Amino acid sequence: MYRLGIDIGSTTIKMALVEVPSDQVQSTKEVRILATDYRRHNAEPMKVGQEMIEGILKAISDQHSAINVGITGSVGMGCAQRLGVGFHQEVIAAAEVVKQLYPDVHCLVDIGGEDSKMIFFEEGCVPEMRMNGNCAGGTGAFIDQTATLLGVETSELNALAAKAEHIYPIASRCGVFSKTDIQNLISRSVSKEDIAASMLHAVSMQVVSALARGTEVHPKIFLCGGPFAYIPELRKHLLQALEMTEKDCIVPEYTQFIPAIGTALLAKGEPLTHAQVRTLFSNDHCSVAPLSGTLPPLFADEADYQNWLSGKQKKYGHNTINSQLTNFTQLSTLNSQLYLGVDSGSTTTKLVLINEQGQLVFTDYSYNNGNSLQAFHSALQRLRDALGQDIEIAGSCSTGYGEQLLKTAFRLDHGIVETMAHFMAAKHLQPNVSFVLDIGGQDMKAIFVENGSIQRIEINEACSSGCGSFIMTFARQLGYEVSDFAHMATLAQHPYDLGTRCTVFMNSKVKQAMREGAQVDDIAAGFSYSVIKNCLYKVLKLQSFDQLGEHIMVQGGTFRNHSVVRALEILTGKEVGFGPIPELMGAYGCALYALGRVK
């Protein structure tokens, strides 16, 4: 008997084709794993599933054979409904593997992309199943996030952790809080090896504390899930947390396919023919229901987007800000003084050099890697290399996280608070500005202006929802560069309403969208709306959009994504302006301040 188990998770699809001699499987010897496949679906499970089916079926030589099919996984239920195939809850599927094939196991521990599970088995009792809540702590996504912060691939974490010498405390209960701890370790020049091992230790402790909850875990334990399969060091740290050794655990050969194998064992009912399975994921076979919640498209088409962009560039002086100084060797003949602005953030350093007309002569954007001084020094070296000659800087100013540090170390002329720098940059582009919204990677600042002066300032709290990292995290999770993800959003015809949720809780909404068959561009556009909704309704808590006035300017790296700008226009019904360098506006404001002080 052939049985195919399909595990469609939030980020991957796993398939396992097994052969069993009868309906009652008694031991591992009676189950043959004929073929497996494991791929990221990048929010297109139907397309990737169709590609995988072709390869899986090559393991069956008999074209007339019948195959029982079952589906599991966090995105699997909606897919199963559209495909007309039986669905099995993934925890039950994993438990079925242990019950049928590994009867001496006391506890199963499964770490997936966005969930973790523990199942306790006692003779004569129904298995006790425990799963994490909506928090990403102790999951594969948490591990991926650390790899991103360290600037390495997830596959490199194991080799790094194996060379660690020390373990440091890291908050593992929330991905947002862990970033603070990891950034702190990076700024203290703690080695990547120690940080990688500390993160794996934190994940292990989170799994044990959140799922065991006082229940004694004793041998044997059964480990499954992709992280255990690809990161052996994670197994070592979990065993240390449980005070066990390798002989106390079972790590099956196909550990990342356990729910898929369990679903195959549970697959019953009317079998499908070889031909039916081959077309299982094709468009002709799927029944697609309308999406449950959609929002207006951001643009009608590419031409509409380009016309909108052209109008913004003309109205807000993009050409006049961008310098005409194409040949740096001519600087000495221009008889123009130059002014330097630097925005030293917690993770990046932005540098801008302008002339007396406020035009850009040079810009630089780089990551700090925990050393603000070195980042600025390297930027100055790149400036000198680009100009090819010594120059005299008539005025200089700093802002941001490292404002005082750089001002003191490099003897800069001035230092101003970040909000003032952003306000000055916005006012230069729009003299009558009434509201300035700055959204960076992990923070958000809103400046209310009246009669040319700042009246009040609002900032977000510790939550990163609605910030640049919010979009970046999901773009990378779905396998796209942020720039590509942003452009897809501008062309979406049915933006999916993701609501206003934190980064962690948003995962469940994205899964729902994929279950309903939402396309990647619809999800991307949904994030653009969500960023603005978080800002308007959760941070600003506006009673009326009239509070924003009629001259709105936006800046910060997030607004390089023009779909976010357009979402703000649609939701408020107001025109929104932006400059050519939204991610550098803090540094640009500093340079303008230095220019103004000299004058």
Side-chain angles (χ1 to χ4, degrees), residues 313-592:
Q313 292 171 338
K314 183 177 180 180
K315 183 170 183 177
Y316 295 99
H318 288 211
N319 292 332
T320 57
I321 293 178
N322 286 319
S323 176
Q324 305 302 312
L325 306 178
T326 56
N327 187 347
F328 289 124
T329 60
Q330 296 177 357
L331 275 174
S332 59
T333 66
L334 292 174
N335 194 27
S336 177
Q337 290 184 315
L338 301 174
Y339 302 87
L340 182 72
V342 56
D343 181 358
S344 177
S346 58
T347 58
T348 59
T349 294
K350 287 80 72 176
L351 182 147
V352 163
L353 188 70
I354 66 173
N355 62 13
E356 288 180 300
Q357 288 72 46
Q359 295 175 310
L360 299 172
V361 176
F362 178 83
T363 65
D364 189 87
Y365 184 105
S366 62
Y367 286 91
N368 295 340
N369 296 320
N371 191 330
S372 300
L373 287 175
Q374 183 57 51
F376 182 50
H377 186 260
S378 298
L380 288 177
Q381 288 179 316
R382 288 190 290 273
L383 167 60
R384 182 169 180 168
D385 292 342
L387 299 183
Q389 64 185 77
D390 278 339
I391 61 170
E392 180 179 346
I393 295 177
S396 56
C397 180
S398 62
T399 191
Y401 180 80
E403 171 203 332
Q404 287 297 326
L405 181 65
L406 297 190
K407 181 175 181 292
T408 303
F410 289 89
R411 294 184 301 214
L412 304 181
D413 298 319
H414 309 286
I416 59 176
V417 296
E418 207 170 347
T419 48
M420 182 59 68
H422 284 282
F423 170 59
M424 292 195 68
K427 192 173 182 179
H428 182 76
L429 296 181
Q430 172 55 272
N432 297 320
V433 62
S434 59
F435 176 74
V436 183
L437 178 61
D438 171 54
I439 300 181
Q442 294 186 34
D443 61 5
M444 180 189 303
K445 295 177 285 291
I447 305 171
F448 293 83
V449 182
E450 188 174 326
N451 298 324
S453 300
I454 295 177
Q455 293 302 304
R456 67 184 177 98
I457 298 169
E458 299 285 350
I459 62 173
N460 66 322
E461 298 175 356
C463 180
S464 67
S465 63
C467 298
S469 60
F470 183 73
I471 294 179
M472 182 178 70
T473 297
F474 283 95
R476 292 179 174 175
Q477 196 174 92
L478 296 175
Y480 293 89
E481 293 297 325
V482 178
S483 57
D484 297 331
F485 199 65
H487 187 68
M488 293 170 66
T490 63
L491 304 180
Q493 293 304 300
H494 306 284
Y496 193 91
D497 188 358
L498 296 171
T500 56
R501 298 186 174 200
C502 85
T503 305
V504 177
F505 294 140
M506 186 62 75
N507 289 331
S508 60
K509 196 69 176 179
V510 174
K511 291 176 191 175
Q512 178 182 329
M514 289 190 289
R515 282 196 296 266
E516 293 185 13
Q519 301 300 307
V520 180
D521 54 355
D522 297 330
I523 295 174
F527 277 118
S528 298
Y529 273 109
S530 182
V531 163
I532 298 303
K533 285 185 174 182
N534 270 297
C535 172
L536 297 177
Y537 306 136
K538 292 177 66 176
V539 177
L540 301 180
K541 301 181 176 65
L542 294 176
Q543 300 298 317
S544 168
F545 294 138
D546 291 339
Q547 295 175 257
L548 305 179
E550 298 303 322
H551 303 285
I552 300 171
M553 293 295 294
V554 294
Q555 47 205 37
T558 299
F559 288 108
R560 286 192 67 86
N561 182 342
H562 295 151
S563 62
V564 179
V565 182
R566 183 60 182 151
L568 178 58
E569 289 189 327
I570 292 175
L571 289 173
T572 61
K574 296 178 178 291
E575 182 181 356
V576 176
F578 59 93
I581 49 167
E583 74 279 19
L584 300 173
M585 292 298 273
Y588 186 62
C590 280
L592 291 172

Side-chain angles (χ1 to χ4, degrees), residues 115-149:
D115 55 22
S116 54
K117 320 173 192 67
M118 265 192 183
I119 307 176
F120 293 92
F121 300 88
E122 298 289 350
E123 188 174 353
C125 299
V126 175
E128 183 180 353
M129 306 175 186
R130 301 175 183 176
M131 293 185 66
N132 67 324
N134 287 321
C135 181
T139 66
F142 184 85
I143 297 173
D144 288 342
Q145 186 180 79
T146 302
T148 300
L149 290 173

